[in-house]
Amino acid sequence: MKVNCVRFVAVILMLVTAPACVFAQREVTKEAVRGSIEVEHGVVVSAQRDASEVGVDVLMRGGNAVDAAVATAFALAVTHPEAGNIGGGGFMLVFPGEARAPVCVDYRETAPAAATETMFTPGESRFTCKYVGVPGTVRGLELAHREFGKLPWSELVSPAVQLAEEGFALDQYLADSLNELLKESPDFAELQRVYGKDGGKAEWREGDRLALPELATSLRAIAEHGPNAFYDGVVAEQLVAEMTAGEGLISRDDLRGYQAKLREPIRGTYRGYHIFAAPPPSSGGICLVEMLNILEPLELRRHGRHSAEAMHFTIEAMQRAFCDRARHLGDPDFNTIPAELTDKAYAKQLMEAIPAWQATQSETLAPEIPLAGEGPNTTHFSVIDATGMAVANTYTLEESYGARIVVRGAGFLLNNEMGDFNPQPGVTNRTGQIGTSANIIAPGKRMLSSMCPVIVAQDGRAVLVTGSPGGRTIINTVLSVVLGVLEYELDVRSAVDAPRWHHQWLRDETIFERSADSAYRAAIQRLKLMGHKTKLTDVQGSAHSIYIDKQSGRRHGAADVRRSGHAAGY
Ligand code: GLY
């Protein structure tokens, strides 16, 4: 009897501690973890557990990666209010597999028709209706679904309706984040009413349930009547009423006229891998490919990942790509973007001018001075399905919780994305503003983004899906993950966990994540001797990523646990 009992306990322990892959091999079972997952069929890695699980449920019901992405995006609008949204915008990169070339759905917000070049005055609050761009998310998800989706639209929105209506359990991350937000925003009455616990009288704790009934009503309208409910129906009416009350610019015509666009991704190669990334109006893809092109001939691996040499070259590549970003990038419908930026020959010239042992002073690369500030709050998720179709989606409200304005009656948060335009034409100064023309406000124009959803492929199959939040740091976070896998041949978990650093041309400094890695710390000391100005930070980005093993086909999901993150799969 005693032996049987011990065996029983041992079996239970084995089952509890067995890796997800053991279950996946035996039967098709959904798994969800905060860290890493390895499964056979499909994976969704996002900032929040319920949202990742919603995506995997869709895959298990026969939906493809785009179906799962649409459902995950709507779910995050409920469960990850910092950045998940229906009131913002973003980029969805789709790798459909053999049948069709990769494509990027651009659902970046636009400036309202009444917007002007000089509508902002220095120092004014960014948490106002004036800062709200025309939201693109619902049209973007519609376009992705129309092009690629298999399951009915309403089935993809319904899980989000249910989460909003019935509520979901807060994890520690969201409880802390909401408490901080509510403390910082006493004047935002609707935000306090909708997101406060007991009308703002109590603090949120892990495990508390948050229900969002008005958001549920809006989502139900979108589920039942389609995206027009948002752009030309009851939700549009509520949004415009909010604008009228708050002296915002978005009109019914702005909403009716909003269009998501299918765009060619930026393409590059690195050591025989094909890189696909978000095109303008995001700067992400161009800067990433420019940096990879500069770095490829330098064979960083020879020096060692955390050698001062390899880190110096990546910093110098960042500096040059971000200088080109400031000079040239903006909405491609309003600007001609130089094709040479992603050319290997152009990168070679830049590479050859990098001093081997000395930091380049940023101001010697171009006369412009610092760019305006940008919020580090966006969210990225990655999806792979059983056929190999992959989606990398990054979307945002700009700052954490956007403009902090909840549309009355409709229950959703509005973006403050107009802050991503250069605020004043011709005004470039050392306090952090740039006034170059490519990214100056114009009616209908999309503001420049740094979002960088990326899919890496080899022999026609996706092998890496990644992306990150983090304002301009996004691009360098993605560079770190891509180099980790392609250059240093790390497994995806190690590539995501590796310490990151960021240089954005101006200010002329490199910000390093703190790390206990002794080689990395020693390299930072050497970089200082080379003239690099350095700063430390606790966290850069949140790169929820997937690696697909070419031989076995197994899917490795890595949730970035620097902030919140969950991998689910089957
Ligand atoms: N608002 C952040 C970005 O678009 O990069």
Side-chain angles (χ1 to χ4, degrees):
M1 181 65 191
K2 199 174 165 196
V3 172
N4 277 348
C5 187
V6 169
R7 261 198 212 131
F8 176 73
V9 171
V11 168
I12 293 294
L13 271 176
M14 206 180 77
L15 286 172
V16 167
T17 56
C21 54
V22 173
F23 292 98
Q25 278 167 352
R26 288 190 195 145
E27 58 185 274
V28 178
T29 313
K30 185 174 72 181
E31 298 293 327
V33 295
R34 188 165 137 71
S36 302
I37 200 167
E38 184 198 332
V39 294
E40 197 176 341
H41 303 286
V43 171
V44 179
V45 195
S46 83
Q48 200 272 339
R49 181 184 188 119
D50 295 298
S52 295
E53 292 201 46
V54 160
V56 170
D57 289 340
V58 165
L59 295 179
M60 293 177 81
R61 289 207 311 272
N64 63 22
V66 168
D67 290 319
V70 169
T72 301
F74 277 116
L76 285 169
V78 179
T79 63
H80 188 61
E82 274 185 15
N85 70 80
I86 56 174
F91 297 87
M92 183 185 288
L93 183 66
V94 181
F95 183 91
E98 276 162 19
R100 193 170 156 180
V103 68
C104 187
V105 181
D106 161 8
Y107 57 99
R108 184 67 161 165
E109 299 93 326
T110 55
T116 63
E117 286 187 356
T118 51
M119 62 187 275
F120 296 118
T121 40
E124 73 177 80
S125 167
R126 289 159 65 106
F127 302 116
T128 64
C129 282
K130 238 172 108 182
Y131 267 91
V132 182
V134 181
T137 295
V138 179
R139 277 277 178 250
L141 300 180
E142 175 197 33
L143 179 55
H145 179 254
R146 197 167 64 226
E147 287 290 316
F148 297 103
K150 274 167 70 184
L151 298 186
W153 170 259
S154 62
E155 278 186 32
L156 306 179
V157 191
S158 295
V161 176
Q162 198 178 338
L163 283 165
E165 197 161 62
E166 294 174 7
F168 62 98
L170 303 187
D171 58 19
Q172 189 65 55
Y173 177 86
L174 183 53
D176 291 346
S177 160
L178 283 174
N179 289 335
E180 198 180 314
L181 167 80
L182 295 163
K183 214 173 289 162
E184 277 175 8
S185 320
D187 300 335
F188 292 75
E190 187 66 357
L191 181 84
Q192 296 283 345
R193 186 185 72 76
V194 170
Y195 284 102
K197 182 175 171 182
D198 300 338
K201 290 193 213 69
E203 292 227 319
W204 291 107
R205 287 173 197 270
E206 183 182 7
D208 285 348
R209 289 188 80 77
L210 173 64
L212 299 160
E214 284 137 352
L215 179 57
T217 305
S218 298
L219 288 167
R220 185 175 292 103
I222 294 166
E224 289 173 1
H225 307 294
N228 282 348
F230 188 94
Y231 289 96
D232 201 12
V234 57
V235 185
E237 251 168 55
Q238 290 162 319
L239 198 161
V240 171
E242 193 64 51
M243 289 290 126
T244 309
E247 296 175 20
L249 301 184
I250 298 174
S251 68
R252 289 298 293 260
D253 283 346
D254 287 321
L255 289 168
R256 279 192 202 107
Y258 180 84
Q259 287 185 338
K261 298 190 177 189
L262 289 182
R263 295 196 194 268
E264 278 276 308
I266 294 298
R267 290 162 185 255
T269 59
Y270 192 86
R271 307 221 183 291
Y273 289 92
H274 293 269
I275 316 287
F276 301 95
S282 182
S283 57
I286 287 182
C287 290
L288 177 72
V289 168
E290 185 174 332
M291 291 190 287
L292 289 172
N293 285 344
I294 293 172
L295 296 172
E296 190 178 33
L298 291 166
E299 301 196 14
L300 300 180
R301 206 185 325 168
R302 274 188 310 129
H303 302 286
R305 186 160 59 98
H306 289 158
S307 63
E309 290 86 345
M311 290 168 74
H312 166 69
F313 287 131
T314 57
I315 292 165
E316 297 276 320
M318 290 170 184
Q319 219 175 3
R320 283 154 180 80
F322 274 83
C323 180
D324 279 338
R325 178 191 192 272
R327 277 183 177 136
H328 300 295
L329 299 187
D331 185 339
D333 298 336
F334 288 71
N335 295 286
T336 306
I337 311 281
E340 70 167 7
L341 297 180
T342 52
D343 249 23
K344 294 225 188 251
Y346 172 67
K348 187 159 177 280
Q349 280 172 25
L350 296 180
M351 183 271 288
E352 285 169 352
I354 295 177
W357 293 105
Q358 201 189 349
T360 300
Q361 303 302 303
S362 285
E363 289 178 35
T364 64
L365 292 178
E368 299 93 333
I369 336 177
L371 303 175
E374 204 178 277
N377 297 292
T378 294
T379 191
H380 173 82
F381 60 87
S382 297
V383 185
I384 183 89
D385 70 16
T387 69
M389 182 189 239
V391 171
N393 187 86
T394 314
Y395 72 154
T396 188
L397 289 165
E398 166 54 0
E399 298 198 43
S400 195
Y401 301 93
R404 302 184 180 182
I405 297 165
V406 178
V407 175
R408 274 166 278 186
F412 68 92
L413 281 153
L414 289 168
N415 71 80
N416 56 354
E417 215 75 55
M418 292 291 286
D420 273 358
F421 280 115
N422 296 344
Q424 290 181 286
V427 180
T428 300
N429 63 37
R430 287 179 181 273
T431 65
Q433 219 171 284
I434 192 161
T436 51
S437 64
N439 190 35
I440 287 295
I441 300 172
K445 189 172 176 179
R446 285 154 146 85
M447 57 294 283
L448 183 63
S449 170
S450 299
M451 288 186 271
C452 194
V454 170
I455 297 175
V456 178
Q458 198 178 39
D459 302 327
R461 294 211 306 251
V463 295
L464 177 66
V465 189
T466 192
S468 176
R472 271 170 279 170
T473 68
I474 289 173
I475 310 171
N476 294 332
T477 296
V478 171
L479 176 73
S480 169
V481 175
V482 171
L483 286 177
V485 175
L486 305 193
E487 177 68 26
Y488 298 113
E489 298 182 343
L490 299 178
D491 61 79
V492 67
R493 173 82 266 151
S494 308
V496 167
D497 288 345
R500 299 166 181 158
W501 55 93
H502 172 72
H503 196 299
Q504 59 177 39
W505 176 53
L506 289 166
R507 304 168 177 246
D508 190 355
E509 66 187 7
T510 310
I511 303 173
F512 296 87
E513 271 191 331
R514 282 179 226 279
S515 165
D517 184 308
S518 54
Y520 173 82
R521 291 160 73 113
I524 295 173
Q525 295 312 315
R526 284 191 65 202
L527 288 165
K528 282 188 193 169
L529 297 177
M530 291 160 77
H532 289 282
K533 295 175 203 75
T534 65
K535 250 171 97 171
L536 294 176
T537 186
D538 288 332
V539 168
Q540 178 181 314
S542 184
H544 303 310
S545 306
I546 299 172
Y547 178 76
I548 303 100
D549 187 288
K550 283 167 288 184
Q551 256 73 50
S552 67
R554 293 185 70 75
R555 283 88 165 100
H556 301 250
D560 191 335
V561 293
R562 283 169 173 80
R563 302 190 200 177
S564 61
H566 242 88
Y570 77 107

